[in-house]
Amino acid sequence: MFLPKIHSPDDLKKIPEKNLPALCDEIRKKIIETVAKNGGHLASNLGVVELTIALHRVFSSPRDAIIFDVSHQCYTHKLLTGRYGKFNTLRKEGGISGFTKRNESEHDFFDNGHSSTSISQGLGLLEAWNRTGQTDRKAVVVIGDGALTGGLAFEGLSHTGQLAKNLIIVLNDNQMSISPNTGSISRYLSSLSMTHFYQKFRYTVDNLVEKIPNSKNHIGKLIFRLKRGLKGLVIRENLFVDLGLEYVGPLDGHNIKRLEETFRRVRKIPKPVVVHIMTKKGKGYSPAENEPSIFHGVGPFQISNGVMEKFDAMSFTEAFSRKIVELGEKDKRISCITAAMAKGTGLDAFSRKFPERFYDVGIAEAHAVTFASGLSAGGLVPVVAIYSTFLQRSIDQIIHDVCIPKLHCVFALDRSGAVPGDGETHQGIFDIALLRSIPNLEILCPVSQRDLGLCLDYALQSQSPVALRYPKSACPSELPSFGEAIQRGRGILVKAEEFAPNLSVQFDSEGRTAQKEKKVLYVTTGGLFSEVLKAARANLSALVYTDIYTLRFIKPLDETYFTELAKKYDHIVFVEDGVKLGGVGEYLQTVLASAPRQEEIPSSEVKAFPDKFLSHGTREEILEKAGLSFKNLLAKGGKP
């Protein structure tokens, strides 16, 4: 066993080259065993084992920076930088993150979780070092071909060429991001991968030249010109070279010896370099090799056959997937767009049914939104399915390209609220505060499968921009009131008699017992209905009469209707699966406070996510830390 003895990259460098294949096997086994128990990103990590070993054997982290784009492929990096002993805590509450984190290790330079940031980060870091006299330090960024579809990556490439700094960019080409890559960039990289003959020729000639005495004189210059001429014949054009970067590749990303030799040469080149390598996503585990999209991000699974845990209850994602296919059959104008997340958002079914109306734009959320605005302007009805956390990357486009011209675009925001496992970079808790302030945009928050269908019907029939937000969780059991017809600006009042029909405690016509306990109303967003329901039932058992008002609309709000409803209760508890600051709960408190006849206004409190970033854990653990578990929602006197 080599892996338990590696506490830093220095230990890795002491391992003989002949033993590296055995180390790779150990690493893959450890990753598979851990992800099978904890969930996580599997296929991407199995594909970069040899690459990560080669990088840490050639470069000197943390003196040199190794920056992983997105960083969902950093598990080998963590195992080689002193975190083997904690690796079983991966993605667990209080354990190590599934992404790089600055406060976790000196070898992690950035808290990465979103795509296409690494080139800009590496360039800035290198510029800072060079300006402060640390010119011997190197910055290496590892970016996948999927992340290269993001516009920010090209902005970084352009600036790299302008600054002419010796940044090393390792392009990990596996023809995949989360789903198979599409578009011109994917085809372009495929054409570059056809130039293996040139690279093999160059590698052979370089080895021969090094053995010739005084090869750096006239004969060396002659051979250099010969190589450049041949390169011009083999590679007619190269985007990276045109931007001012040197290009090396493609190389076999699983050949450690070849990778090490290349990196040692590249680190001596006094200009930015792109090292193009080819890897196999999921390498070493056949289920992941055969289905890399499925095994990109997974929950617990059986190692023997790759079978994953399944749940009987339908998720909001599945509910959306079924409904959008049903609606697509009725209306040919409906067109669906995703940013490399067809399966994650549930649009894979729509893509198979209506391939001519489905668009995967790659990891380019801003483009997805503006592209949708163009479809709308042309008379189509675009539906952009996107994770809440990734929507943050396209706020300007929503304002400028959709809401100012008031174009009919529908945004289906999956993973809103608490998101387990992935930590701070993936929580969907900011969308309400970000979107509520935008004019012309309606925001709906469905509470169940049936309600989601009604809300989606409404959104597609609207003539304005509409956003639907729903959590990464199972849909709650249906209640009759969930099927009520939509009234713009109003939510759904779920009376105690509906969700607790067999309650033994008797209340009078005003919802009072002999003890005259206060009447409580929970006002909640749909993503937390299950937790609120548990708290409401516990309140009733403790003789605290409780109803639930679930906010179908976060914007617009029928404020008059809500104020009159609130006056029937003694105390209001706003429960929101978004940040408290700028959220809908605080806003409704101001609505009550400004209402006339203040003596009738009930007391109120807001339960929402605090003003901080929330780390990884289960959904239940995240809600507990945020004060949003059902125990934290109980009214005074209520007990679980």
Side-chain angles (χ1 to χ4, degrees):
M1 292 284 288
F2 297 100
L3 194 52
K5 300 176 183 177
I6 299 176
H7 304 291
S8 73
D10 290 336
D11 296 326
L12 172 65
K13 294 173 182 178
K14 298 174 185 176
I15 297 178
E17 184 180 299
K18 64 180 182 180
N19 294 328
L20 295 180
L23 174 61
C24 291
D25 291 341
E26 283 185 38
I27 291 173
R28 286 195 168 92
K29 181 180 179 182
K30 183 66 174 178
I31 290 174
I32 292 169
E33 290 176 347
T34 303
V35 176
K37 293 178 181 177
N38 299 3
H41 293 91
L42 185 64
S44 54
N45 279 287
L46 295 179
V48 298
V49 174
E50 289 86 359
L51 168 62
T52 309
I53 289 174
L55 287 172
H56 275 295
R57 282 170 64 87
V58 172
F59 296 94
S60 299
S61 179
R63 181 67 186 170
D64 298 326
I66 300 175
I67 304 166
F68 292 90
D69 200 284
V70 186
S71 82
H72 63 295
Q73 76 286 50
C74 70
Y75 293 2
T76 301
H77 165 75
K78 295 202 173 203
L79 287 168
L80 299 177
T81 53
R83 285 168 274 185
Y84 171 81
K86 297 180 179 179
F87 199 70
N88 64 323
T89 69
L90 182 74
R91 291 164 52 91
K92 296 292 187 181
E93 184 183 24
I96 63 173
S97 170
F99 301 92
T100 55
K101 289 186 69 66
R102 285 167 57 88
N103 65 2
E104 192 176 289
S105 172
E106 63 179 347
H107 299 277
D108 294 359
F109 282 81
F110 297 98
D111 292 5
N112 280 346
H114 289 189
S115 169
S116 311
T117 64
S118 62
I119 296 174
S120 300
Q121 290 170 334
L123 183 62
L125 185 62
L126 193 61
E127 174 72 2
W129 285 345
N130 288 340
R131 286 180 55 187
T132 55
Q134 303 175 74
T135 56
D136 60 327
R137 302 180 74 175
K138 296 288 182 179
V140 183
V141 303
V142 181
I143 183 170
D145 50 324
L148 202 63
T149 62
L152 181 60
F154 285 92
E155 295 174 24
L157 281 172
S158 177
H159 197 199
T160 299
Q162 294 175 36
L163 284 181
K165 298 299 180 183
N166 55 336
L167 180 69
I168 299 170
I169 301 169
V170 179
L171 173 54
N172 176 28
D173 187 354
N174 53 33
Q175 291 83 54
M176 295 285 293
S177 50
I178 296 172
S179 302
N181 285 332
T182 59
S184 301
I185 297 301
S186 178
R187 290 194 296 272
Y188 178 75
L189 293 177
S190 295
S191 71
L192 290 182
S193 69
M194 300 300 291
T195 64
H196 182 68
F197 165 74
Y198 167 75
Q199 295 300 334
K200 188 173 182 180
F201 172 84
R202 175 179 178 173
Y203 177 71
T204 302
V205 170
D206 285 346
N207 281 336
L208 290 174
V209 170
E210 287 181 357
K211 297 176 182 178
I212 300 174
N214 301 317
S215 61
K216 293 184 179 180
N217 295 330
H218 296 294
I219 189 171
K221 294 178 181 179
L222 177 63
I223 293 175
F224 173 76
R225 291 171 183 169
L226 174 63
K227 288 194 299 179
R228 288 297 295 267
L230 178 63
K231 187 173 184 178
L233 291 174
V234 177
I235 309 176
R236 292 186 177 180
E237 55 186 25
N238 187 314
L239 170 66
F240 305 111
V241 174
D242 290 343
L243 288 173
L245 291 77
E246 179 71 16
Y247 171 83
V248 177
L251 308 173
D252 179 358
H254 301 295
N255 186 330
I256 295 179
K257 181 179 179 180
R258 181 73 187 280
L259 289 172
E260 287 189 26
E261 291 172 347
T262 301
F263 289 143
R264 288 193 178 94
R265 290 179 179 178
V266 163
R267 70 173 297 148
K268 300 176 183 177
I269 298 177
K271 63 181 296 189
V273 184
V274 172
V275 181
H276 185 182
I277 69 167
M278 309 291 291
T279 59
K280 176 71 173 178
K281 201 168 185 179
K283 183 174 175 61
Y285 183 57
S286 56
E289 287 188 16
N290 297 333
E291 299 285 353
S293 293
I294 293 176
F295 281 89
H296 171 77
V298 297
F301 63 92
Q302 298 177 25
I303 296 176
S304 59
N305 54 18
V307 175
M308 302 177 196
E309 291 183 0
K310 292 186 178 181
F311 303 94
D312 294 333
M314 178 172 291
S315 69
F316 280 91
T317 303
E318 292 170 319
F320 166 75
S321 179
R322 292 188 182 188
K323 184 65 177 181
I324 197 64
V325 170
E326 175 191 321
L327 293 171
E329 291 174 339
K330 300 176 182 178
D331 189 344
K332 294 183 179 180
R333 297 176 304 155
I334 295 174
S335 305
C336 290
I337 306 165
T338 187
M341 297 295 290
K343 187 171 184 63
T345 58
L347 284 183
D348 51 339
F350 188 95
S351 71
R352 292 191 298 269
K353 186 81 172 178
F354 312 107
E356 74 286 354
R357 290 191 268 150
F358 170 76
Y359 305 91
D360 186 342
V361 300
I363 306 178
E365 294 85 2
H367 166 66
V369 172
T370 301
F371 176 65
S373 74
L375 293 181
S376 178
L380 299 180
V381 181
V383 177
V384 183
I386 195 168
Y387 287 8
S388 171
T389 185
F390 300 140
L391 180 81
Q392 297 161 189
R393 299 157 68 91
S394 57
I395 294 298
D396 179 56
Q397 286 68 40
I398 292 173
I399 295 172
H400 182 271
D401 301 327
V402 175
C403 290
I404 289 178
K406 201 176 182 179
L407 290 169
H408 182 205
C409 297
V410 177
F411 301 100
L413 308 185
D414 204 325
R415 272 66 167 175
S416 290
V419 177
D422 289 329
E424 294 91 334
T425 59
H426 282 63
Q427 301 296 349
I429 61 179
F430 301 106
D431 52 41
I432 294 176
L434 287 170
L435 297 178
R436 273 196 63 254
S437 61
I438 303 176
N440 296 334
L441 178 65
E442 297 187 37
I443 309 169
L444 282 74
C445 197
V447 68
S448 71
Q449 178 187 356
R450 187 178 183 186
D451 189 32
L452 187 148
L454 294 172
C455 289
L456 194 54
D457 283 335
Y458 173 90
L460 291 170
Q461 293 166 11
S462 173
Q463 297 303 310
S464 301
V466 183
L468 277 67
R469 65 184 305 275
Y470 43 88
K472 182 183 182 181
S473 64
C475 298
S477 298
E478 295 291 344
L479 293 172
S481 58
F482 292 167
E484 292 178 359
I486 290 181
Q487 298 184 64
R488 189 170 184 266
R490 296 187 183 183
I492 303 169
L493 180 62
V494 187
K495 300 286 289 182
E497 292 77 11
E498 181 178 359
F499 63 79
N502 300 319
L503 190 68
S504 59
V505 179
Q506 296 297 313
F507 296 90
D508 63 24
S509 60
E510 294 184 357
R512 309 282 185 183
T513 65
Q515 288 76 22
K516 301 293 183 182
E517 294 285 351
K518 287 185 176 182
K519 289 178 63 177
V520 173
L521 177 66
Y522 284 118
V523 179
T524 184
T525 51
L528 286 174
F529 182 82
S530 295
E531 287 73 22
V532 168
L533 183 62
K534 288 181 183 179
R537 285 173 171 161
N539 288 347
L540 291 171
S541 297
L543 308 183
V544 180
Y545 186 86
T546 307
D547 290 335
I548 303 172
Y549 183 68
T550 179
L551 293 167
R552 245 181 187 157
F553 283 83
I554 292 174
K555 186 182 180 182
L557 290 164
D558 188 331
E559 297 175 6
T560 301
Y561 172 82
F562 174 74
T563 301
E564 291 304 311
L565 174 64
K567 290 178 181 179
K568 299 176 182 179
Y569 297 86
D570 302 303
H571 186 65
I572 310 291
V573 183
F574 296 101
V575 185
E576 180 175 359
D577 60 341
V579 290
K580 182 178 181 179
L581 204 60
V584 67
E586 283 194 339
Y587 174 75
L588 286 174
Q589 274 191 317
T590 64
V591 170
L592 292 179
S594 60
R597 299 179 64 185
Q598 290 296 312
E599 68 276 4
E600 297 183 13
I601 300 303
S603 60
S604 65
E605 60 183 305
V606 176
K607 301 281 189 177
F609 286 104
D611 186 23
K612 65 179 182 179
F613 295 108
L614 298 167
S615 61
H616 52 276
T618 64
R619 173 183 167 85
E620 293 71 24
E621 288 167 343
I622 293 169
L623 293 180
E624 180 68 32
K625 286 188 291 187
L628 291 171
S629 67
F630 93 93
K631 294 180 182 179
N632 297 120
L633 303 179
L634 294 172
K636 185 177 180 181
K639 295 187 182 298

